Amino acid sequence: MKPHVPTLHRLSRLYPAAHIRGRRIVRDGAGSLGRVTLNAATAEQLGCDDIGWFVGEHPGIEAAIGQLCRLDAVSTGGIWIVVPYSRDLSLELFHRWPRFAHVADRPDCENSTWHSSKVWVAVPEDLWRLSGEARSSEPGVAGIIVLDPNCIIYMARAGTDSWGRLHRNDRPQHIVNFRAELEADGWRPLLVLVTERPALAINTEKLQRTFCLNALHFIAGDSFVCWEDPIECDDEPIEYGI
Amino acid sequence: MNWSDLSTIETARRILTTTEGLSICYDPTAETQREGVCGAVPSDLHSELLDYVQTQYPAGLFRHQKLALQHLSNDLHTVIATRTSSGKSLIYSIPVLNRLLSEADTTALFLFPQKALANDQLQGLIKTVAGIPTLARLRAVKPHLISRYDGATPEDRRPAIRDQVQVLLTNPDMLHYAVLAYPENWQRFLTKLRYVIVDECHEYRGIFGTNVSYLFRRLQAMCRRHHSSPVFIATSATVQSPQLHMERLTGLPFACVGPDDDGSRQGERKIWMVKSAEHAYDAGRKLTLELAEAGLTVLTFCLSRTAAERMMARAGRDNKDAESPFVRVYRAGLTPTEREEIEAGLRNRSIRAVFTTSALELGIDIGAIDVVVCVGLPNTMMSLWQRAGRAGRAGKQGAVILIAGQTPIDAYYAEHPTVLFERDHEPLILNLANRPVRNLHYACAVKEVGGDELKLDIGSLGPEIGEVRRHREAGQLRDPVFYVSDPHRSVRMRGTGDEAYKLMCNKEDIGDIDPFHLLREAPRNGIYSHGGKRYRVTDVMPKARQVRLSPEFGPYFTTSNIGTSIRVRRLSAIREHGSVIVAQAILDVNDYLRSVTEKHLNGQVVRTYQGSGGMPNNWLPTEGTFLRVELPLWQEAIDRLGDPAAKAALVTSARLFGSLFPTITGPCDATDYSATADFPKNAPPAVYLYDMVQYGVGLSIEAYGRMADLVSRSIELVRACDCGIDEGCFQCVRNPQSEVPASRAATLSLLEMIEAELSQPPKLIQETAADAAPSVAACADCHAPRPPAARFCSNCGSKFENAS
């Protein structure tokens, strides 16, 4: 059983203000549970209960780059670890990154990791490279954003190489391990899965089990926004109905 | 006989009485000539316009014209619903020209349901402007001051028109696709827009009317963004409740100038209804030719394009005839050149007889028509009076001859003609609750405000659009249409079906055809008639939306045998009367091609092409009412009548229900609904009445409460028919589309069995399909069922309150 979490002070440094907002929906998209903003209180609940965010039907990589850039430009708060589903996507993010002046290193065919101000990027297999740096960073890691347009990482638990030989590159487990390493006082950084597919098209129960989550909160992709300026809390619940 | 000494009505009477096989069943007194009630032209008009109107109309304006101008001078939205040929065009031209004279940059939008009408009005306006010096000078500087802007406008002329036009004549389709979709090109025009003219407003009904209704709301929102507030002027000669219709169509309050205010001059007009011993088409063709040979101009309205083409084909002309005859056919699908040639021919009387469809019933200027012949009852009273209005214009004499067709409803009204002529115009149905249409227009409205849903002007767009926004806000509406980059292209203004097919003959585009008519008139291997010529359909290419044709010279024609399968998607109300179930339902109707039969012109079958031949099906999601004969009763019917006879009887019952439906519900447009019988493999057979509009217009569901009456009237009609043979006639049980001959006795027997069941009190009445879900523990947030040991809801991720 997890201990009671006296982490609100720490979380208020990771999330001094809300910069991410979305509309919570039910899995089949037929009902809305109101707007939610990612502030310290929300992060505490999600991190302690091991609840992830499933951002389905996201408009795509172009929109994601804009959103990540705005997070990168936030001067306060924690680091966001971005996990693209492939090295190609990591390279694409790097080449299309508008805040190029803030990039410290560049990815290559061996190492997919690269850093901007508040956004650090690595494919699941290279997350270990960021592990030490992430743990020692101040004020710490606010969350992990998995960019998986086709939502396939959770299924990549084993496979065969080009010679047909079985290998065991458990891709989601890299993310789970990385997140576990960042656990402190029973709180783990928020896991945000961003995909272009709707939740209804995914076996989300299997997905949450794979990522060792207790539950998923479903966020409508077209409502998911990240802003450089703090978002005012207007998370009044919208009446639920069909 | 020397016809030239006789009046039009007397000539028509003599020909009618001397033609063999025709018997007059309705012969009321002729409507007498009426002199107009005139008054002085309003003096507050601009002096040049005043001079012009006084010169052109020395007797002054008619009473209704003056009243309408009075409303318009007070900036009231006004609808004018006076008779055909009562000078309605002048009413809307005067305020527009008057405003142009006082404010040189003002603009006006003229909307016509058909391109041909716009062309006609354009010529009239240009002629008027030429007689007003200031406007004539303005037009000399701006050649596109008054312009048509529609699909026929050449691309290279469009930018100049957009720059200069101040009086724009177009149709709702172009307003949607070309104006509202690109408001940046029309800023000047929209900012100065003062008048919107809606001509023939009764045409905006059904799915077309629903689309136009949303279009008008979007236009108003667009005008508000451009700080303009145009006055709407609507006209129609045949509209029931004009004020109410326009208020529903635009969402604005309207003043009305109705038939009671009509002060126009009307010529003497005579109406006859006749029955013919031979087929109505043959009688109509012979009568038309006789009237034309007597020197009269005759317009013969047929119920379908195929009928018009066949009458033309049998009028003695074929593909080898190189001469231009005085008999022509006019219908949708002709090229603009062909249409204009026929219109001009009618005006200068070089063409004296035209077989036409509804395409010529609206106010296109085709000069004075002497006689209108209607072969078969038109689908609506509006059509009947519009067609009758083509005769006796401008104070001249005119005659209208209505030949009862070969359908049960024609037979009914031939016996009760006074009932027919006492009927009012049909109520005009608009269904703003039609979800796909509403969502499409919402998406268009969002695009027009730059993509921000919060900027929508709900006040102008109406509560239905407000409802969509509320649902969108709540995340309940996520149709793909909300996310497409160009939603305007997804809207089909005149229907919600698929795109039309182009008819290509030797790489020449000869017209187009919609998917509904494609299956019936131009299936693969079929013979398609166009402008009196026949073409063989060599290929149908659904992806390219093309039909390949080659000229056909053989004396053959083809008929398509169309099958219909229906799937019930959801029931909304059910009544069980013994072994008969009557229900309202959401339906999927699928029309498919069964076979194509080729016949010689003498009626002999030459060959049959079995199967669909790769033709695409025509799918229609809609709503309707069905009557299902449960298996015990159906088995009893089969035992009593035999399987083929029982099936034929049910098919005949469906045809009777469809025909007699307007007699129980009141006037309605027969093209808005249909009836069919369906015999599914593993379910009881049923008769369906359904709306012919995607997602329905709330028409055929009215049969739910009147099914017993419908059955009783069908029995009455079959019993009362005096054809005297068991096979029946087209006016009772005989169905030209059916392969198995029907039997009067079998049909009566089945209908009586159904009537007996319907007379029983309903055992089960379920007026709404309630969800009888068992009560289980549910998530407080999303109401999804909660498994006993779960800590979190799998549907929304919420933590259960008493979870450990």
Side-chain angles (χ1 to χ4, degrees), chain B residues 110 207 254 363 526 567 602 638 753:
Chain B
F110 285 53
I207 197 71
F254 265 76
R567 189 167 69 92
N602 64 15
I638 289 174
M753 287 164 77

Side-chain angles (χ1 to χ4, degrees), chain B residues 266-280:
Chain B
Q266 296 291 341
E268 188 181 2
R269 190 170 65 177
K270 173 73 184 159
I271 297 176
W272 289 282
M273 187 168 180
V274 299
K275 288 196 285 189
S276 70
E278 56 186 338
H279 196 286

Side-chain angles (χ1 to χ4, degrees), chain A residues 23-33 35 45 49 51 56-57 204-205 214-218 220-222 238-242, chain B residues 453-454 470-480 482-483 779-784 787 791-799 804:
Chain A
R23 194 179 67 243
R24 237 185 103 191
I25 55 173
V26 296
R27 180 171 173 266
D28 60 7
S32 174
L33 303 174
R35 291 197 192 96
Q45 185 211 342
D49 282 338
I51 299 172
E57 293 184 277
T204 48
E205 291 206 12
N214 283 323
L216 287 170
H217 282 182
F218 301 100
D222 58 353
I238 295 171
E239 186 188 349
Y240 178 80
I242 302 298
Chain B
E453 298 182 43
L454 296 176
R470 197 178 70 77
H471 284 299
R472 289 276 299 154
E473 271 286 296
Q476 294 162 3
L477 273 178
R478 313 187 75 193
D479 291 1
F482 296 120
Y483 305 102
C779 170
D781 286 340
C782 72
H783 309 157
R791 291 172 59 218
F792 294 88
C793 174
S794 62
N795 191 40
C796 68
S798 296
K799 194 174 182 179
S804 57

